[in-house]
Amino acid sequence: MLLPLMCMTVYTLLAVRVVVHADVSLNEVQSTVALNLRAWGVCLRMDGTIAWEGTHVHVQRRYAKLKPRRSLWRRPQLEDLRKNKWWIAAALRSLHWGAADVYLRTGTDEAWSTALLAGAMRSLAAAFTAVMGQRMPCDVRVDADFDEPGFLLSARCIFSAVPGDIMMAVIKEAVKKTQREGFKWLSIPLRA
């Protein structure tokens, strides 16, 4: 009785769709991050401030007692990304993208450099949306602030994922990778 119940629970957890709302805001004063995970009518929210210290990113809860910051994420080395890019790409392909909104406001001391920077950011945004095509609905807005120097980046992304789909995509990519490297999967006939 316990085994079928455990199998049903695992299957249910792997088949549930998890919707993620991610918000990031970067500026000179205080950078923030908010992450909402929704599944089965339950919403888990993480809201905090971001601080870069050397090669580490620190996130501290925004509405809590002050505690010593702990390192959340080490900047990945290029070798780490190259080694793991096959399963990262497979996991990203299995996500269902809802929407992405990016707002950038930038300004420098001089008008010519502000215009140059804003134009470069607009062209990068246009290139990004052209590459993404119809895979992700994306709204990108870039404004130049000629009054005073400053930087503000606000991004919001909504996507959903099914943990079972991610696992299957990574397993399929692992099988393809082992076949490309020369390992062949052989089935041994059962002899009775």
Side-chain angles (χ1 to χ4, degrees), residues 5 7 12 25 27 30 34 40-41 47 49 61 67 74 84 86 101 106 111 115 120 131 138 147 152-153 162 175 187:
L5 182 63
C7 291
T12 304
S25 177
N27 59 25
Q30 183 180 31
W40 287 333
D47 194 9
T49 59
R61 288 182 286 169
K67 292 183 179 178
R74 177 182 62 88
N84 299 322
W86 63 271
D101 299 326
T106 183
V131 166
C138 188
D147 295 334
L152 171 68
L153 174 68
V162 178
V175 169
S187 61

Side-chain angles (χ1 to χ4, degrees), residues 102-145:
V102 178
Y103 172 70
L104 175 67
R105 187 179 72 214
T106 183
T108 60
D109 287 331
E110 296 179 357
W112 69 269
S113 59
T114 300
L116 186 66
L117 184 61
M121 292 297 126
R122 281 190 181 122
S123 66
L124 283 173
F128 175 74
T129 55
V131 166
M132 290 308 290
Q134 298 296 325
R135 288 180 276 178
M136 180 192 322
C138 188
D139 180 29
V140 180
R141 208 172 104 202
V142 179
D143 289 340
D145 189 4

Side-chain angles (χ1 to χ4, degrees), residues 10-175:
V10 168
Y11 178 77
T12 304
L13 290 175
L14 291 177
V16 68
R17 179 166 300 281
V18 178
V19 179
V20 179
H21 292 242
D23 296 317
V24 177
S25 177
L26 302 173
N27 59 25
E28 308 93 25
V29 180
Q30 183 180 31
S31 299
T32 60
V33 64
L35 187 67
N36 294 329
L37 298 171
R38 294 182 185 183
W40 287 333
V42 177
C43 180
L44 299 175
R45 179 173 174 87
M46 191 277 294
D47 194 9
T49 59
I50 303 171
W52 288 90
E53 292 179 8
T55 61
H56 296 281
V57 176
H58 296 282
V59 174
Q60 185 172 349
R61 288 182 286 169
R62 188 185 293 182
Y63 306 111
K65 293 180 182 177
L66 292 177
K67 292 183 179 178
R69 292 181 179 171
R70 58 186 171 144
S71 177
L72 176 70
W73 180 61
R74 177 182 62 88
R75 285 187 187 175
Q77 302 298 325
L78 193 55
E79 298 85 32
D80 295 341
L81 290 177
R82 284 185 183 150
K83 235 186 327 184
N84 299 322
K85 72 178 181 182
W86 63 271
W87 69 266
I88 293 171
L92 288 176
R93 279 193 302 269
S94 66
L95 298 178
H96 300 281
W97 296 97
D101 299 326
V102 178
Y103 172 70
L104 175 67
R105 187 179 72 214
T106 183
T108 60
D109 287 331
E110 296 179 357
W112 69 269
S113 59
T114 300
L116 186 66
L117 184 61
M121 292 297 126
R122 281 190 181 122
S123 66
L124 283 173
F128 175 74
T129 55
V131 166
M132 290 308 290
Q134 298 296 325
R135 288 180 276 178
M136 180 192 322
C138 188
D139 180 29
V140 180
R141 208 172 104 202
V142 179
D143 289 340
D145 189 4
F146 293 104
D147 295 334
E148 60 186 37
F151 176 78
L152 171 68
L153 174 68
S154 178
R156 179 180 67 108
C157 182
I158 301 171
F159 61 92
S160 63
V162 178
D165 291 347
I166 294 174
M167 288 174 54
M168 288 304 294
V170 170
I171 289 170
K172 286 178 184 178
E173 192 63 31
V175 169

